[in-house]
Amino acid sequence: MVLTFHCYLVGVAVFGYSLSVSIGGIMASRYLHQSLLYDVLRSPMSFFEKTPSGNLVNRFAKEMDTIDSVIPSIIKMFMGSLFNVVGSCLIILFATPLVAIIIPFLGVLYFFVQRFYVATSRQLKRLESVSRSPIYTHFNETLLGNSVIRAFGEQQRFIQESDQRVDHNQKAYYPSIVANRWLAIRLEFVGNCIVSFAALFAVIARESLSPGIMGLSISYALQLTASLTWLVRMSSDAETNIVAVEKVKEYSSTEKEVHNTFLGPKPFPERLIILECL
C-alpha cells in the first residue's frame, strides 16, 4: 500500500513538472514571437534596407523553432537528471559515507569543466547562427531572380556561391561537435572516478557493510555517472541554446516608428492590421 502511494506521488510530481514546463514554454514562446513580430513591423523602412532578409527569416524560422521545441525539452531533461543525481548521491552517501570526502572535489572539477565548455560552445553557437543568415539571404535572392539567372546562364555560379556559404556555416558547426565530444570524454573520466572511489571505500569499510549495501552503492554510482554526465550536458545545452532568445530580443532595441497611442502602447499582432489601416 505504501509503495503504491509512493509511486502515485512520483507519477503526479513528474506529470506536474512536465505540464508546467510545457505550458510555460508555450507561453514564453508566444510572447517572444509576438514581441519579435511587433518590433519588426514597427521598424522604419531604413531598418529593412540595411537588414538582409536572411536575418529576418533566420529569426522567425530557426531561432523560434529552437525556442518552441528545443529549450523546453532541454529544461525537462535537466530537471529529470537533477532529481536522479540528487537521489543517487543520497543513496551513495547513506550506503558508504566515506564517499562524502571525494564528492566535493569531483563536483568542483565538474563545475570548471562545464564552465569552460559553455563559454566556448556559446560563442560557437553565435558564429553558427550568424553564418546561417547569409544562406537564407542567398536562397531568397536566388528564388526572386530565378528568371534572370536562367536568362544569363549563371546557374553554376549561384550553385557554387550557395555551397561556399554552406561550407562557411559548417566551419562553425563542426567545432561545436568536436567540443561536445571533448566534454563527453572529460565527464566520463570524472564519472569513472566516482565509481572507483565508491568501490574503494566500500572495500575499505567491508567489515561494517553488508554485501547488499555495497552492491547498492556501486550500482547507484554507475547510474550516477550517466545522470551526472547528462545533467552537465543539459545545463550546457540550455545556456548554449539560450542564444536564440538573445537573437530574438535583439530587434527590441532598434528604432521604432511613432505609433498611435489610442490603441494602446503595444498592440497584439492581430490588432496591427487595424493600426495600419487607421
Side-chain angles (χ1 to χ4, degrees), residues 184-216:
I185 294 174
R186 269 69 181 176
L187 293 182
E188 288 293 335
F189 171 75
V190 180
N192 292 330
C193 290
I194 294 177
V195 178
S196 301
F197 282 110
L200 178 62
F201 290 140
V203 172
I204 293 175
R206 62 183 180 275
E207 300 296 336
S208 59
L209 293 178
S210 63
I213 296 297
M214 294 172 59
L216 179 67

PDB file of all heavy atoms in Angstrom, residues 184-216:
ATOM      1  N   ALA A 184      32.296  15.133 -23.441  1.00  0.00           N
ATOM      2  CA  ALA A 184      31.910  13.760 -23.109  1.00  0.00           C
ATOM      3  C   ALA A 184      33.081  12.981 -22.520  1.00  0.00           C
ATOM      4  O   ALA A 184      32.920  12.226 -21.545  1.00  0.00           O
ATOM      5  CB  ALA A 184      31.377  13.064 -24.352  1.00  0.00           C
ATOM      6  N   ILE A 185      34.282  13.153 -23.065  1.00  0.00           N
ATOM      7  CA  ILE A 185      35.455  12.430 -22.554  1.00  0.00           C
ATOM      8  C   ILE A 185      35.771  12.856 -21.128  1.00  0.00           C
ATOM      9  O   ILE A 185      36.025  12.011 -20.245  1.00  0.00           O
ATOM     10  CB  ILE A 185      36.662  12.674 -23.482  1.00  0.00           C
ATOM     11  CG1 ILE A 185      36.407  12.039 -24.854  1.00  0.00           C
ATOM     12  CG2 ILE A 185      37.943  12.112 -22.872  1.00  0.00           C
ATOM     13  CD1 ILE A 185      37.468  12.339 -25.877  1.00  0.00           C
ATOM     14  N   ARG A 186      35.741  14.153 -20.861  1.00  0.00           N
ATOM     15  CA  ARG A 186      36.055  14.637 -19.503  1.00  0.00           C
ATOM     16  C   ARG A 186      35.009  14.184 -18.490  1.00  0.00           C
ATOM     17  O   ARG A 186      35.336  13.785 -17.371  1.00  0.00           O
ATOM     18  CB  ARG A 186      36.137  16.165 -19.509  1.00  0.00           C
ATOM     19  CG  ARG A 186      37.528  16.730 -19.766  1.00  0.00           C
ATOM     20  CD  ARG A 186      37.979  16.470 -21.168  1.00  0.00           C
ATOM     21  NE  ARG A 186      39.317  16.977 -21.440  1.00  0.00           N
ATOM     22  CZ  ARG A 186      39.931  16.790 -22.595  1.00  0.00           C
ATOM     23  NH1 ARG A 186      39.334  16.111 -23.570  1.00  0.00           N
ATOM     24  NH2 ARG A 186      41.152  17.249 -22.779  1.00  0.00           N
ATOM     25  N   LEU A 187      33.745  14.238 -18.888  1.00  0.00           N
ATOM     26  CA  LEU A 187      32.685  13.836 -17.953  1.00  0.00           C
ATOM     27  C   LEU A 187      32.731  12.342 -17.671  1.00  0.00           C
ATOM     28  O   LEU A 187      32.486  11.901 -16.536  1.00  0.00           O
ATOM     29  CB  LEU A 187      31.326  14.237 -18.518  1.00  0.00           C
ATOM     30  CG  LEU A 187      31.057  15.740 -18.632  1.00  0.00           C
ATOM     31  CD1 LEU A 187      29.655  15.987 -19.166  1.00  0.00           C
ATOM     32  CD2 LEU A 187      31.255  16.447 -17.308  1.00  0.00           C
ATOM     33  N   GLU A 188      33.025  11.533 -18.687  1.00  0.00           N
ATOM     34  CA  GLU A 188      33.138  10.092 -18.472  1.00  0.00           C
ATOM     35  C   GLU A 188      34.303   9.777 -17.541  1.00  0.00           C
ATOM     36  O   GLU A 188      34.206   8.875 -16.696  1.00  0.00           O
ATOM     37  CB  GLU A 188      33.330   9.378 -19.806  1.00  0.00           C
ATOM     38  CG  GLU A 188      32.078   9.336 -20.674  1.00  0.00           C
ATOM     39  CD  GLU A 188      30.986   8.478 -20.068  1.00  0.00           C
ATOM     40  OE1 GLU A 188      31.318   7.571 -19.281  1.00  0.00           O
ATOM     41  OE2 GLU A 188      29.806   8.723 -20.369  1.00  0.00           O
ATOM     42  N   PHE A 189      35.392  10.528 -17.670  1.00  0.00           N
ATOM     43  CA  PHE A 189      36.543  10.298 -16.790  1.00  0.00           C
ATOM     44  C   PHE A 189      36.187  10.601 -15.333  1.00  0.00           C
ATOM     45  O   PHE A 189      36.492   9.809 -14.425  1.00  0.00           O
ATOM     46  CB  PHE A 189      37.710  11.178 -17.243  1.00  0.00           C
ATOM     47  CG  PHE A 189      38.874  11.179 -16.296  1.00  0.00           C
ATOM     48  CD1 PHE A 189      39.727  10.086 -16.216  1.00  0.00           C
ATOM     49  CD2 PHE A 189      39.110  12.277 -15.474  1.00  0.00           C
ATOM     50  CE1 PHE A 189      40.799  10.089 -15.331  1.00  0.00           C
ATOM     51  CE2 PHE A 189      40.172  12.286 -14.588  1.00  0.00           C
ATOM     52  CZ  PHE A 189      41.024  11.190 -14.511  1.00  0.00           C
ATOM     53  N   VAL A 190      35.545  11.741 -15.092  1.00  0.00           N
ATOM     54  CA  VAL A 190      35.171  12.091 -13.718  1.00  0.00           C
ATOM     55  C   VAL A 190      34.130  11.113 -13.177  1.00  0.00           C
ATOM     56  O   VAL A 190      34.161  10.738 -12.003  1.00  0.00           O
ATOM     57  CB  VAL A 190      34.659  13.541 -13.669  1.00  0.00           C
ATOM     58  CG1 VAL A 190      34.261  13.922 -12.255  1.00  0.00           C
ATOM     59  CG2 VAL A 190      35.726  14.499 -14.174  1.00  0.00           C
ATOM     60  N   GLY A 191      33.201  10.673 -14.047  1.00  0.00           N
ATOM     61  CA  GLY A 191      32.206   9.695 -13.605  1.00  0.00           C
ATOM     62  C   GLY A 191      32.831   8.369 -13.223  1.00  0.00           C
ATOM     63  O   GLY A 191      32.430   7.736 -12.227  1.00  0.00           O
ATOM     64  N   ASN A 192      33.823   7.931 -13.985  1.00  0.00           N
ATOM     65  CA  ASN A 192      34.525   6.697 -13.637  1.00  0.00           C
ATOM     66  C   ASN A 192      35.303   6.845 -12.336  1.00  0.00           C
ATOM     67  O   ASN A 192      35.465   5.868 -11.583  1.00  0.00           O
ATOM     68  CB  ASN A 192      35.473   6.294 -14.767  1.00  0.00           C
ATOM     69  CG  ASN A 192      34.714   5.862 -16.010  1.00  0.00           C
ATOM     70  OD1 ASN A 192      33.609   5.338 -15.925  1.00  0.00           O
ATOM     71  ND2 ASN A 192      35.298   6.090 -17.177  1.00  0.00           N
ATOM     72  N   CYS A 193      35.783   8.067 -12.046  1.00  0.00           N
ATOM     73  CA  CYS A 193      36.435   8.310 -10.759  1.00  0.00           C
ATOM     74  C   CYS A 193      35.454   8.120  -9.607  1.00  0.00           C
ATOM     75  O   CYS A 193      35.812   7.563  -8.549  1.00  0.00           O
ATOM     76  CB  CYS A 193      37.024   9.718 -10.726  1.00  0.00           C
ATOM     77  SG  CYS A 193      38.457   9.950 -11.799  1.00  0.00           S
ATOM     78  N   ILE A 194      34.224   8.546  -9.787  1.00  0.00           N
ATOM     79  CA  ILE A 194      33.217   8.362  -8.736  1.00  0.00           C
ATOM     80  C   ILE A 194      32.963   6.882  -8.486  1.00  0.00           C
ATOM     81  O   ILE A 194      32.904   6.428  -7.332  1.00  0.00           O
ATOM     82  CB  ILE A 194      31.912   9.075  -9.132  1.00  0.00           C
ATOM     83  CG1 ILE A 194      32.115  10.591  -9.186  1.00  0.00           C
ATOM     84  CG2 ILE A 194      30.790   8.738  -8.148  1.00  0.00           C
ATOM     85  CD1 ILE A 194      30.893  11.355  -9.630  1.00  0.00           C
ATOM     86  N   VAL A 195      32.827   6.105  -9.548  1.00  0.00           N
ATOM     87  CA  VAL A 195      32.614   4.661  -9.394  1.00  0.00           C
ATOM     88  C   VAL A 195      33.805   4.016  -8.704  1.00  0.00           C
ATOM     89  O   VAL A 195      33.653   3.158  -7.812  1.00  0.00           O
ATOM     90  CB  VAL A 195      32.351   4.021 -10.771  1.00  0.00           C
ATOM     91  CG1 VAL A 195      32.185   2.511 -10.626  1.00  0.00           C
ATOM     92  CG2 VAL A 195      31.116   4.623 -11.418  1.00  0.00           C
ATOM     93  N   SER A 196      35.015   4.423  -9.095  1.00  0.00           N
ATOM     94  CA  SER A 196      36.227   3.832  -8.499  1.00  0.00           C
ATOM     95  C   SER A 196      36.317   4.129  -7.010  1.00  0.00           C
ATOM     96  O   SER A 196      36.610   3.235  -6.191  1.00  0.00           O
ATOM     97  CB  SER A 196      37.475   4.364  -9.218  1.00  0.00           C
ATOM     98  OG  SER A 196      37.431   4.057 -10.584  1.00  0.00           O
ATOM     99  N   PHE A 197      36.043   5.378  -6.619  1.00  0.00           N
ATOM    100  CA  PHE A 197      36.126   5.726  -5.204  1.00  0.00           C
ATOM    101  C   PHE A 197      35.011   5.058  -4.403  1.00  0.00           C
ATOM    102  O   PHE A 197      35.214   4.671  -3.245  1.00  0.00           O
ATOM    103  CB  PHE A 197      36.079   7.241  -5.032  1.00  0.00           C
ATOM    104  CG  PHE A 197      37.374   7.922  -5.328  1.00  0.00           C
ATOM    105  CD1 PHE A 197      37.525   8.719  -6.451  1.00  0.00           C
ATOM    106  CD2 PHE A 197      38.465   7.747  -4.487  1.00  0.00           C
ATOM    107  CE1 PHE A 197      38.722   9.347  -6.725  1.00  0.00           C
ATOM    108  CE2 PHE A 197      39.672   8.382  -4.758  1.00  0.00           C
ATOM    109  CZ  PHE A 197      39.807   9.180  -5.892  1.00  0.00           C
ATOM    110  N   ALA A 198      33.818   4.932  -5.005  1.00  0.00           N
ATOM    111  CA  ALA A 198      32.726   4.242  -4.303  1.00  0.00           C
ATOM    112  C   ALA A 198      33.089   2.789  -4.049  1.00  0.00           C
ATOM    113  O   ALA A 198      32.849   2.252  -2.947  1.00  0.00           O
ATOM    114  CB  ALA A 198      31.444   4.345  -5.119  1.00  0.00           C
ATOM    115  N   ALA A 199      33.682   2.122  -5.050  1.00  0.00           N
ATOM    116  CA  ALA A 199      34.102   0.722  -4.863  1.00  0.00           C
ATOM    117  C   ALA A 199      35.244   0.625  -3.857  1.00  0.00           C
ATOM    118  O   ALA A 199      35.290  -0.291  -3.029  1.00  0.00           O
ATOM    119  CB  ALA A 199      34.517   0.133  -6.211  1.00  0.00           C
ATOM    120  N   LEU A 200      36.191   1.588  -3.923  1.00  0.00           N
ATOM    121  CA  LEU A 200      37.332   1.566  -3.000  1.00  0.00           C
ATOM    122  C   LEU A 200      36.888   1.748  -1.554  1.00  0.00           C
ATOM    123  O   LEU A 200      37.308   0.989  -0.653  1.00  0.00           O
ATOM    124  CB  LEU A 200      38.326   2.662  -3.390  1.00  0.00           C
ATOM    125  CG  LEU A 200      39.560   2.813  -2.498  1.00  0.00           C
ATOM    126  CD1 LEU A 200      40.403   1.542  -2.522  1.00  0.00           C
ATOM    127  CD2 LEU A 200      40.388   4.015  -2.927  1.00  0.00           C
ATOM    128  N   PHE A 201      36.024   2.706  -1.304  1.00  0.00           N
ATOM    129  CA  PHE A 201      35.555   2.941   0.060  1.00  0.00           C
ATOM    130  C   PHE A 201      34.663   1.801   0.545  1.00  0.00           C
ATOM    131  O   PHE A 201      34.616   1.511   1.747  1.00  0.00           O
ATOM    132  CB  PHE A 201      34.811   4.274   0.131  1.00  0.00           C
ATOM    133  CG  PHE A 201      35.695   5.466  -0.028  1.00  0.00           C
ATOM    134  CD1 PHE A 201      35.294   6.561  -0.765  1.00  0.00           C
ATOM    135  CD2 PHE A 201      36.953   5.497   0.562  1.00  0.00           C
ATOM    136  CE1 PHE A 201      36.105   7.674  -0.925  1.00  0.00           C
ATOM    137  CE2 PHE A 201      37.775   6.601   0.418  1.00  0.00           C
ATOM    138  CZ  PHE A 201      37.362   7.691  -0.333  1.00  0.00           C
ATOM    139  N   ALA A 202      33.963   1.155  -0.374  1.00  0.00           N
ATOM    140  CA  ALA A 202      33.159   0.001   0.017  1.00  0.00           C
ATOM    141  C   ALA A 202      34.052  -1.147   0.449  1.00  0.00           C
ATOM    142  O   ALA A 202      33.733  -1.880   1.409  1.00  0.00           O
ATOM    143  CB  ALA A 202      32.264  -0.426  -1.146  1.00  0.00           C
ATOM    144  N   VAL A 203      35.189  -1.325  -0.224  1.00  0.00           N
ATOM    145  CA  VAL A 203      36.131  -2.390   0.175  1.00  0.00           C
ATOM    146  C   VAL A 203      36.800  -2.043   1.497  1.00  0.00           C
ATOM    147  O   VAL A 203      37.005  -2.915   2.358  1.00  0.00           O
ATOM    148  CB  VAL A 203      37.188  -2.595  -0.939  1.00  0.00           C
ATOM    149  CG1 VAL A 203      38.291  -3.546  -0.477  1.00  0.00           C
ATOM    150  CG2 VAL A 203      36.528  -3.134  -2.195  1.00  0.00           C
ATOM    151  N   ILE A 204      37.141  -0.757   1.691  1.00  0.00           N
ATOM    152  CA  ILE A 204      37.768  -0.358   2.958  1.00  0.00           C
ATOM    153  C   ILE A 204      36.835  -0.596   4.136  1.00  0.00           C
ATOM    154  O   ILE A 204      37.267  -1.054   5.213  1.00  0.00           O
ATOM    155  CB  ILE A 204      38.173   1.139   2.873  1.00  0.00           C
ATOM    156  CG1 ILE A 204      39.303   1.326   1.843  1.00  0.00           C
ATOM    157  CG2 ILE A 204      38.610   1.652   4.238  1.00  0.00           C
ATOM    158  CD1 ILE A 204      39.683   2.774   1.611  1.00  0.00           C
ATOM    159  N   ALA A 205      35.545  -0.328   3.940  1.00  0.00           N
ATOM    160  CA  ALA A 205      34.560  -0.493   5.030  1.00  0.00           C
ATOM    161  C   ALA A 205      33.823  -1.817   4.919  1.00  0.00           C
ATOM    162  O   ALA A 205      32.664  -1.911   5.320  1.00  0.00           O
ATOM    163  CB  ALA A 205      33.578   0.675   5.010  1.00  0.00           C
ATOM    164  N   ARG A 206      34.489  -2.846   4.395  1.00  0.00           N
ATOM    165  CA  ARG A 206      33.808  -4.138   4.190  1.00  0.00           C
ATOM    166  C   ARG A 206      33.436  -4.822   5.500  1.00  0.00           C
ATOM    167  O   ARG A 206      32.525  -5.658   5.529  1.00  0.00           O
ATOM    168  CB  ARG A 206      34.701  -5.062   3.362  1.00  0.00           C
ATOM    169  CG  ARG A 206      36.020  -5.408   4.005  1.00  0.00           C
ATOM    170  CD  ARG A 206      36.866  -6.265   3.068  1.00  0.00           C
ATOM    171  NE  ARG A 206      38.139  -6.610   3.671  1.00  0.00           N
ATOM    172  CZ  ARG A 206      39.229  -5.866   3.647  1.00  0.00           C
ATOM    173  NH1 ARG A 206      39.165  -4.673   3.022  1.00  0.00           N
ATOM    174  NH2 ARG A 206      40.350  -6.249   4.217  1.00  0.00           N
ATOM    175  N   GLU A 207      34.125  -4.475   6.590  1.00  0.00           N
ATOM    176  CA  GLU A 207      33.819  -5.107   7.866  1.00  0.00           C
ATOM    177  C   GLU A 207      32.488  -4.618   8.442  1.00  0.00           C
ATOM    178  O   GLU A 207      31.824  -5.346   9.169  1.00  0.00           O
ATOM    179  CB  GLU A 207      34.947  -4.820   8.872  1.00  0.00           C
ATOM    180  CG  GLU A 207      36.304  -5.330   8.435  1.00  0.00           C
ATOM    181  CD  GLU A 207      36.342  -6.857   8.328  1.00  0.00           C
ATOM    182  OE1 GLU A 207      35.520  -7.498   8.996  1.00  0.00           O
ATOM    183  OE2 GLU A 207      37.176  -7.374   7.569  1.00  0.00           O
ATOM    184  N   SER A 208      32.132  -3.406   8.104  1.00  0.00           N
ATOM    185  CA  SER A 208      30.915  -2.827   8.673  1.00  0.00           C
ATOM    186  C   SER A 208      29.754  -2.754   7.684  1.00  0.00           C
ATOM    187  O   SER A 208      28.650  -2.366   8.073  1.00  0.00           O
ATOM    188  CB  SER A 208      31.204  -1.413   9.195  1.00  0.00           C
ATOM    189  OG  SER A 208      31.678  -0.575   8.143  1.00  0.00           O
ATOM    190  N   LEU A 209      29.985  -3.106   6.425  1.00  0.00           N
ATOM    191  CA  LEU A 209      28.947  -3.054   5.409  1.00  0.00           C
ATOM    192  C   LEU A 209      28.570  -4.452   4.960  1.00  0.00           C
ATOM    193  O   LEU A 209      29.424  -5.336   4.856  1.00  0.00           O
ATOM    194  CB  LEU A 209      29.414  -2.233   4.186  1.00  0.00           C
ATOM    195  CG  LEU A 209      29.646  -0.741   4.388  1.00  0.00           C
ATOM    196  CD1 LEU A 209      30.143  -0.104   3.102  1.00  0.00           C
ATOM    197  CD2 LEU A 209      28.365  -0.055   4.848  1.00  0.00           C
ATOM    198  N   SER A 210      27.292  -4.611   4.698  1.00  0.00           N
ATOM    199  CA  SER A 210      26.823  -5.885   4.162  1.00  0.00           C
ATOM    200  C   SER A 210      27.046  -5.928   2.656  1.00  0.00           C
ATOM    201  O   SER A 210      27.132  -4.870   2.008  1.00  0.00           O
ATOM    202  CB  SER A 210      25.339  -6.074   4.475  1.00  0.00           C
ATOM    203  OG  SER A 210      24.574  -5.062   3.820  1.00  0.00           O
ATOM    204  N   PRO A 211      27.140  -7.101   2.066  1.00  0.00           N
ATOM    205  CA  PRO A 211      27.336  -7.176   0.601  1.00  0.00           C
ATOM    206  C   PRO A 211      26.214  -6.504  -0.175  1.00  0.00           C
ATOM    207  O   PRO A 211      26.453  -5.930  -1.246  1.00  0.00           O
ATOM    208  CB  PRO A 211      27.386  -8.685   0.338  1.00  0.00           C
ATOM    209  CG  PRO A 211      27.831  -9.282   1.628  1.00  0.00           C
ATOM    210  CD  PRO A 211      27.236  -8.417   2.696  1.00  0.00           C
ATOM    211  N   GLY A 212      25.000  -6.560   0.352  1.00  0.00           N
ATOM    212  CA  GLY A 212      23.887  -5.926  -0.342  1.00  0.00           C
ATOM    213  C   GLY A 212      24.030  -4.418  -0.410  1.00  0.00           C
ATOM    214  O   GLY A 212      23.785  -3.788  -1.449  1.00  0.00           O
ATOM    215  N   ILE A 213      24.450  -3.797   0.723  1.00  0.00           N
ATOM    216  CA  ILE A 213      24.646  -2.348   0.747  1.00  0.00           C
ATOM    217  C   ILE A 213      25.793  -1.948  -0.170  1.00  0.00           C
ATOM    218  O   ILE A 213      25.724  -0.928  -0.880  1.00  0.00           O
ATOM    219  CB  ILE A 213      24.915  -1.866   2.184  1.00  0.00           C
ATOM    220  CG1 ILE A 213      23.685  -2.138   3.077  1.00  0.00           C
ATOM    221  CG2 ILE A 213      25.254  -0.387   2.191  1.00  0.00           C
ATOM    222  CD1 ILE A 213      22.454  -1.374   2.646  1.00  0.00           C
ATOM    223  N   MET A 214      26.860  -2.739  -0.210  1.00  0.00           N
ATOM    224  CA  MET A 214      27.984  -2.446  -1.096  1.00  0.00           C
ATOM    225  C   MET A 214      27.550  -2.506  -2.559  1.00  0.00           C
ATOM    226  O   MET A 214      27.906  -1.632  -3.366  1.00  0.00           O
ATOM    227  CB  MET A 214      29.126  -3.431  -0.841  1.00  0.00           C
ATOM    228  CG  MET A 214      29.758  -3.305   0.537  1.00  0.00           C
ATOM    229  SD  MET A 214      30.950  -4.610   0.898  1.00  0.00           S
ATOM    230  CE  MET A 214      32.112  -4.373  -0.428  1.00  0.00           C
ATOM    231  N   GLY A 215      26.779  -3.533  -2.916  1.00  0.00           N
ATOM    232  CA  GLY A 215      26.284  -3.631  -4.285  1.00  0.00           C
ATOM    233  C   GLY A 215      25.350  -2.488  -4.637  1.00  0.00           C
ATOM    234  O   GLY A 215      25.383  -1.966  -5.766  1.00  0.00           O
ATOM    235  N   LEU A 216      24.521  -2.074  -3.660  1.00  0.00           N
ATOM    236  CA  LEU A 216      23.610  -0.941  -3.896  1.00  0.00           C
ATOM    237  C   LEU A 216      24.396   0.342  -4.159  1.00  0.00           C
ATOM    238  O   LEU A 216      24.063   1.112  -5.072  1.00  0.00           O
ATOM    239  CB  LEU A 216      22.696  -0.761  -2.684  1.00  0.00           C
ATOM    240  CG  LEU A 216      21.687   0.400  -2.764  1.00  0.00           C
ATOM    241  CD1 LEU A 216      20.654   0.126  -3.844  1.00  0.00           C
ATOM    242  CD2 LEU A 216      21.011   0.605  -1.404  1.00  0.00           C
TER     243      LEU A 216
END
